[in-house]
Amino acid sequence: MSQWLELQQLDSKFLEQVDQLYDDTFPMAIRQYLSNWIESHDWDHVANVENESLATVRFHDLLTQLDHQHSRFAMEKDFLNQHNIRKIKRNLQTLFQDNPVSMAMIISKNLSEERKILAAAQISENTAQSAQSDMMIEKQRELDNKVKEIKTKVQETEQNIKNLEDLQDEHDFKSKTLQSQEELNGTISREELSREKLYLKAMFMKLHDMRGGVVTQMSEVLNLVEQLEYELITVELCEWKRRQQMSCIGGLTNVCLDQLQNWFTAAGECLLQVRQQLKKLLELEQKYSYSHDPIALSRGTLEERALTLLKTLITNSMVVERQPCMPTQLQRPLVLKTGVLFTLKVRLLVKLQEFNHMVRVKVHFDKDVTEDRKGFRKFNILGTAMKVMNMEESIGMAAEFRHLQLKERKVAGNRTSEGPLIVTEELHSFTFEAELCWSGLVINFETTSLPIVVISNVSQLPCGWASIMWYNMLTSEPKNLSFFVNPPSVSWGQLSEVLSWQFSSITKRGLNSEQLSMLGHKLLGPKASNDPEAQIPWNKFCKGGSERNFTFWLWIEGVLDLIKRHLQSLWDDGCIMGFVTKERTKALLSSKAPGTFLLRFSESNRDGAITFSWVEHTLNDEPQVRSVEPYTKKELSAVSLPDILRNYRVMAADNVPEDPLRFLFPDTPKDEAFQKYYSKPTDKHEPMDVDKKQDEGYIRTTLISVSEMKTSEFNDNIMPLSPEVYGELERIVTRDLSGGIGELCRGFSDAC
């Protein structure tokens, strides 16, 4: 079953997450129509910036696939879908014709996120729901019940007002009839007149009680709405914003707004209905009022309360649904480069048809924060900074800004000497000012993005991302732009989780406890590495250089880039142990069979490098662990790591090359572990290829890695032979003579 079909069978809460992956930049319709074709290609490989030509080919292949789909719709005479396909194709050409790698990155990221959603759904299905999950479900159920109760009371009030209107009309009719009868003396007896007056008085008392009941009921509705608003704004919305922060730095959290929007919208609908009911009460009051009339006494207060609650709801309902992000760095939002397009999206959670096209939003950069930021850079926003919210572009009331850029504003003076912080520690923010004009009502409100880092060179991206991670780990305050003037420390428990997210966000695998233990040891030392409360200062994580002139984070960043470019499949399948110290490597391998090896990242290479260490035994049967010189991105660009492992040789005695790698730790035969990754030999020419002459062929070659052992090492390990070793060698030769020299060498290696 295809990945797309599996997704469509998930529960609605997971489908909501899938829905968040697709927008007008790359519509879900493409994923639906071309699901099989999309999943048949390795988009992670295509998305590599070095494969621009392949990305161009795939881009044009996709357009061709859309043409085929258009032809199918034409045969089916499906005019609407023909129109949609043409529109989608035009949009793709506009967005990606000059930069097809960006499209490949979007597809690669979406497929990766889909796999994570499937994994989360599988875990949810196979395991019992945790207590926290049960609490969340219970809380959602409580809020649903509160919304239902409010809606029910509003409808009851609506019916009571209708009944009140009917009673008032009847009272008015009776009153006027009695008045006309009194004016016409003799038309009604005194006794009958008294009865009519008593009946009219009873009707008035009922009318008075009913008016008081309606007013009381409306006051109760507003009390319930006020309680709901408080919970939505101070609890649910704050929790969603915190989840969004975690999602921005790699956490797999649910940031779907649909449920929250439903609650906000329900509260808004009820308040608008209450306002309409109050207008109806005004009409009834104007028709008939009296001393101590409950409507006259309470209507003004109720109107003021309803308006205040509506304004409070609306002013708190605008959120930044998609934080500022460059299309080429989808997994690292909030870091923007000058002169590069970025997108962002705001959403009004009160989704009412009455407000469609009635809310204007304007973007400001660093609004109201320039006074206390002496020496900080200043920027102008280029592009359309004003939008009108509408329901057409998404499932909510939203405004998406797609083609914005930042340009640094030139100011007098030397910023580097005046500024208190380096570029990647400067925090900035976007402010969104909104104005709602509807039915004589004008409401002004605003919201703010999470802090961003603005870089001018792509080399600053890793340090900028470190700042974003640090900030969002430690605070939820969106306007603390001087955070790095005195940055607080972070606990190892928090940091270790976020470090794992950096790997799981670009691969299928995060970091396990042993890998995190090694990183903790590197940052904190052996005593504190297992203490989740141990504090790590900012300078030690990113700002302060180590003895090798690069920071801990830059080393991690180099490893991440190495995995993404050359090792992702091996990492996903668990072939790479990765973060293991030399001492731990020796301890793990010493008790294993000769030829057992593991893959680990070099601790001395800033840009990311990988080495393998293996164990061999001396003639005295003592384990000896050796490590090859680390392979960098340059070597891995020429030959893949599986092919290096396949062909690696050590030049042993008498210049005989031997393969020292036999088992991937703990005991998996090497070929069994890496067979599927080995490069396939190029296809031979078919006999029908008459243009190919047999005598034009060359002897095929294979690039192999060879390590030459020092002579002293051979002498130390091999000569002289003890009687026991000589006897073992003689036994092997006698047993395996028919095996030839190759078998002899392998047997000798085992004996040593």
Side-chain angles (χ1 to χ4, degrees), residues 727-739:
E728 177 68 12
L729 178 61
E730 185 178 37
R731 184 184 66 78
I732 293 172
V733 171
T734 304
R735 184 190 67 189
D736 297 329
L737 188 59
S738 60

Side-chain angles (χ1 to χ4, degrees), residues 544-597:
S546 69
E547 65 275 8
R548 298 185 182 89
N549 296 321
F550 58 87
T551 64
F552 173 85
W553 168 248
L554 289 182
W555 172 61
I556 293 290
E557 175 72 12
V559 170
L560 282 166
D561 191 55
L562 180 74
I563 292 174
K564 187 175 180 180
R565 290 176 182 272
H566 302 291
L567 306 173
Q568 185 155 342
S569 296
L570 295 177
W571 176 264
D572 288 344
D573 288 349
C575 297
I576 299 174
M577 190 169 290
F579 297 106
V580 197
T581 62
K582 294 178 182 178
E583 295 75 15
R584 180 63 176 161
T585 298
K586 185 175 291 187
L588 290 172
L589 293 177
S590 294
S591 61
K592 296 298 178 181
T596 302
F597 67 98

Side-chain angles (χ1 to χ4, degrees), residues 274-536:
V274 167
R275 282 170 57 84
Q276 289 299 115
Q277 292 170 353
L278 287 169
K279 287 182 180 179
K280 190 64 180 178
L281 291 186
L282 176 60
E283 293 178 10
L284 295 177
E285 180 188 349
Q286 290 172 341
K287 290 180 180 178
Y288 178 66
S289 186
Y290 51 91
S291 178
H292 303 297
D293 179 2
I295 295 179
L297 293 174
S298 303
R299 183 183 51 77
T301 303
L302 292 175
E303 285 180 347
E304 186 177 345
R305 282 191 66 195
L307 180 59
T308 300
L309 288 172
L310 182 61
K311 286 183 176 180
T312 302
L313 186 72
I314 292 173
T315 54
N316 287 280
S317 70
M318 187 166 68
V319 296
V320 184
E321 180 178 0
R322 189 182 306 137
Q323 295 290 339
C325 180
M326 297 185 292
T328 55
Q329 297 292 333
L330 297 175
Q331 291 161 339
R332 293 191 168 180
L334 302 171
V335 181
L336 305 180
K337 182 178 178 296
T338 53
V340 175
L341 292 176
F342 63 91
T343 64
L344 46 84
K345 184 178 181 180
V346 290
R347 184 167 172 179
L348 193 69
L349 296 178
V350 181
K351 181 187 176 183
L352 297 174
Q353 186 63 44
E354 293 90 338
F355 295 167
N356 197 19
H357 298 289
M358 295 294 175
V359 182
R360 291 189 305 167
V361 184
K362 186 174 183 180
V363 187
H364 298 272
F365 189 82
D366 279 352
K367 179 178 178 285
D368 300 330
V369 294
T370 55
E371 295 80 359
D372 300 324
R373 291 164 60 84
K374 182 180 179 182
F376 280 54
R377 296 169 299 160
K378 299 179 181 180
F379 297 88
N380 293 324
I381 300 176
L382 304 182
T384 304
M386 173 80 78
K387 288 271 187 175
V388 175
M389 284 192 170
N390 63 79
M391 296 183 182
E392 284 74 25
E393 294 187 5
S394 68
I395 58 176
M397 180 85 70
E400 185 171 6
F401 299 84
R402 298 176 183 167
H403 304 292
L404 300 180
Q405 295 182 54
L406 291 178
K407 182 178 181 180
E408 186 171 358
R409 194 187 312 165
K410 300 300 180 183
V411 295
N414 186 351
R415 195 206 71 82
T416 56
S417 63
E418 297 176 3
L421 299 173
I422 61 176
V423 166
T424 54
E425 292 179 345
E426 271 190 23
L427 297 179
H428 305 268
S429 69
F430 292 98
T431 299
F432 303 89
E433 287 186 341
E435 183 180 71
L436 168 63
C437 300
W438 171 75
S439 188
L441 188 65
V442 178
I443 303 177
N444 293 296
F445 50 101
E446 65 178 43
T447 191
T448 306
S449 73
L450 289 172
I452 65 167
V453 170
V454 182
I455 61 175
S456 56
N457 191 294
V458 72
S459 64
Q460 298 166 332
L461 179 61
C463 291
W465 181 243
S467 297
I468 294 300
M469 287 193 298
W470 203 264
Y471 183 94
N472 287 287
M473 274 191 288
L474 291 168
T475 181
S476 56
E477 170 54 52
K479 295 185 179 181
N480 185 11
L481 301 184
S482 299
F483 177 83
F484 284 103
V485 172
N486 185 24
S489 299
V490 69
S491 71
W492 170 240
Q494 285 178 286
L495 181 60
S496 61
E497 183 179 30
V498 174
L499 286 176
S500 182
W501 290 348
Q502 304 316 299
F503 289 82
S504 61
S505 64
I506 65 169
T507 70
K508 297 178 183 177
R509 188 163 69 97
L511 301 178
N512 60 32
S513 57
E514 286 199 6
Q515 292 165 331
L516 289 171
S517 178
M518 179 271 182
L519 296 179
H521 183 282
K522 189 175 180 69
L523 269 175
L524 298 163
K527 293 184 178 179
S529 60
N530 293 320
D531 179 8
E533 298 303 320
Q535 296 296 304
I536 300 166

